[in-house]
Amino acid sequence: QKEVEQNSGPLSVPEGAIASLNCTYSDRVSQSFFWYRQYSGKSPELIMSIYSNGDKEDGRFTAQLNKASQYVSLLIRDSQPSDSATYLCAVSIITGGGNKLTFGTGTQLKVEL
Amino acid sequence: KAGVTQTPRYLIKTRGQQVTLSCSPISGHRSVSWYQQTPGQGLQFLFEYFSETQRNKGNFPGRFSGRQFSNSRSEMNVSTLELGDSALYLCASSLALAGGYTGELFFGEGSRLTVL
């Protein structure tokens, strides 16, 4: 079982709709959770971090965390064509040697006009 | 404020050669992490350095090594290159403090390595 799992997509949504991206993780001691966005040919950039159960909102983005279910999600409201990218879920996992950030393989989002 | 700078951006090597990649973190960032990105495996963690000390290491063979200098700049080296080492190598810096860690990483543009 992979440590961080995401549906690879592509997930296609019409402009103005809500895009829902999901992520599950296997390590129960995971402490911190992140969503990165990566445009084609570019490097990942951090868009959201969440550390405790519940919702965290930042503009059109809402991150949701449920540690009991080991589930993290990202909602994008009023999706725009500029949101078309690959979204990477990342989980901070404590290992014997310290912390490391483990990434899922990403979900490709396409926002269609 | 300058971002994370990686050099070279592109390079082509042949099997058996070695390569050194360089990363200059954002000013004030003392933690530098390295990742390998390939289409099939996604982002794979290589190692993390803080104040010249390797704090964590991923599951890569010993051919992959790194170091960090007193000015926080970091290098990674891959020896005896194999075809499977062709990838985008990403460096990321963060404001992690001594004894702490943050997953809030700032990535450079990467070094794309092609092994022929």
Side-chain angles (χ1 to χ4, degrees), chain B residues 3-46:
Chain B
V4 178
T5 303
Q6 292 188 245
T7 57
R9 292 290 313 279
Y10 303 91
L11 64 168
I12 299 173
K13 294 286 186 178
T14 57
R15 281 180 298 175
Q17 288 187 309
Q18 73 166 13
V19 65
T20 299
L21 309 177
S22 179
C23 172
S24 293
I26 292 171
S27 177
H29 287 194
R30 295 163 65 187
S31 170
V32 173
S33 301
W34 287 89
Y35 286 83
Q36 180 195 67
Q37 187 172 35
T38 58
Q41 297 296 316
L43 275 161
Q44 300 287 308
F45 173 74
L46 282 156

Side-chain angles (χ1 to χ4, degrees), chain A residues 86-102:
Chain A
T86 296
Y87 289 79
L88 303 167
C89 173
V91 176
S92 175
I93 295 173
I94 300 173
T95 68
N99 290 45
K100 68 173 184 176
L101 197 62
T102 298

Side-chain angles (χ1 to χ4, degrees), chain A residues 2-112:
Chain A
K2 290 185 178 179
E3 292 176 292
V4 180
E5 296 208 51
Q6 297 180 255
N7 188 318
S8 61
L11 172 66
S12 294
V13 299
E15 183 179 8
I18 296 175
S20 178
L21 305 164
N22 304 314
C23 170
T24 58
Y25 60 95
S26 61
D27 193 330
R28 287 192 172 274
V29 299
S30 300
Q31 305 232 309
S32 310
F33 308 85
F34 307 87
W35 284 98
Y36 283 79
R37 177 177 63 198
Q38 187 172 25
Y39 291 113
S40 180
K42 299 294 186 181
S43 58
E45 59 178 329
L46 178 68
I47 54 172
M48 289 287 286
S49 58
I50 186 165
Y51 301 94
S52 56
N53 280 329
D55 294 0
K56 179 182 177 183
E57 186 175 319
D58 184 0
R60 295 186 297 111
F61 299 96
T62 299
Q64 299 174 317
L65 173 61
N66 183 326
K67 289 189 176 181
S69 300
Q70 296 175 243
Y71 177 91
V72 191
S73 65
L74 179 70
L75 300 177
I76 306 175
R77 290 182 299 281
D78 188 23
S79 294
Q80 301 297 309
S82 59
D83 295 326
S84 297
T86 296
Y87 289 79
L88 303 167
C89 173
V91 176
S92 175
I93 295 173
I94 300 173
T95 68
N99 290 45
K100 68 173 184 176
L101 197 62
T102 298
F103 286 83
T105 52
T107 297
Q108 185 183 7
L109 174 64
K110 293 185 176 181
V111 181
E112 300 167 332

